[in-house]
DNA sequence: TATTCATGTAAAGCATGCTTTCCATTCAAT
DNA sequence: ATTGAATGGAAAGCATGCTTTACATGAATA
């Protein structure tokens, strides 16, 4: 899964640390999401989407697992 | 988080077992989601939404955590 | 009644999300 | 050159998602 979090966050002129505080997660969590180290839980995805007044689908891009049998 | 999975699944006339197979998860996972034992990962939420051709927000209802400081 | 079908649910174990702590890097401004 | 601000990222530990296995229940039907 890819995401536009860094781009969206920067377009709002907010630092990772302040976004993290607003969402009540750690700064490392935001950094890890932006750099693709892991995917958010659905609860965090909702929090992020609500914070930016976007839908989850606006921020997170699901790529169908075409090679699901390997 | 609440969800409309059972309602949506039934409106499509599909059994838990067949939905599970289509989504490549176990039947227990579907049952657990429908009965609120846990929330899906965002990947599974995307799979479910795509399967029913709905958005994640159409299926899963995020309720703001008003009492976040306890 | 006995059987079958769909669902509920629990337990143990593994994978992943998230935390805290810690240190490194980059860049702007002294 | 040094400092401070923002970010990158690793490690260990806890919480949660998901699996397999197993058993129970209710409804429908042979």
């Amino acid at each position: 899964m890819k995401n536009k979090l860094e781009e969206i966050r920067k377009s709002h002129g907010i630092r990772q640390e302040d976004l993290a505080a607003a969402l009540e997660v750690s700064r490392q969590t935001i950094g890890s999401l932006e750099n693709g180290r892991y995917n958010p839980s659905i609860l965090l995805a909702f929090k992020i989407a609500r914070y930016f007044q976007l839908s989850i689908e606006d921020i997170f891009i699901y790529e169908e697992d075409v090679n699901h049998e390997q």
Side-chain angles (χ1 to χ4, degrees), chain A:
Chain A
M1 233 200 28
K2 295 185 179 176
N3 72 69
K4 302 179 184 165
L5 185 51
E6 180 171 14
E7 169 190 344
I8 293 170
R9 175 181 59 80
K10 287 185 175 171
S11 79
H12 282 245
I14 185 175
R15 293 176 305 159
Q16 288 186 348
E17 188 168 359
D18 292 333
L19 176 59
L23 301 175
E24 302 180 284
V25 294
S26 68
R27 176 182 67 81
Q28 284 75 358
T29 292
I30 301 301
S32 294
L33 294 179
E34 290 189 356
N35 291 289
R37 279 188 289 279
Y38 50 72
N39 297 323
S41 67
I42 193 172
L43 288 178
L44 180 50
F46 265 113
K47 279 189 178 183
I48 293 171
R50 180 157 302 187
Y51 181 87
F52 291 118
Q53 304 200 72
L54 295 170
S55 71
I56 289 181
E57 288 87 350
D58 286 333
I59 306 174
F60 299 95
I61 295 95
Y62 175 64
E63 299 153 327
E64 189 119 25
D65 181 12
V66 169
N67 261 5
H68 53 270
E69 45 232 300
Q70 296 189 36

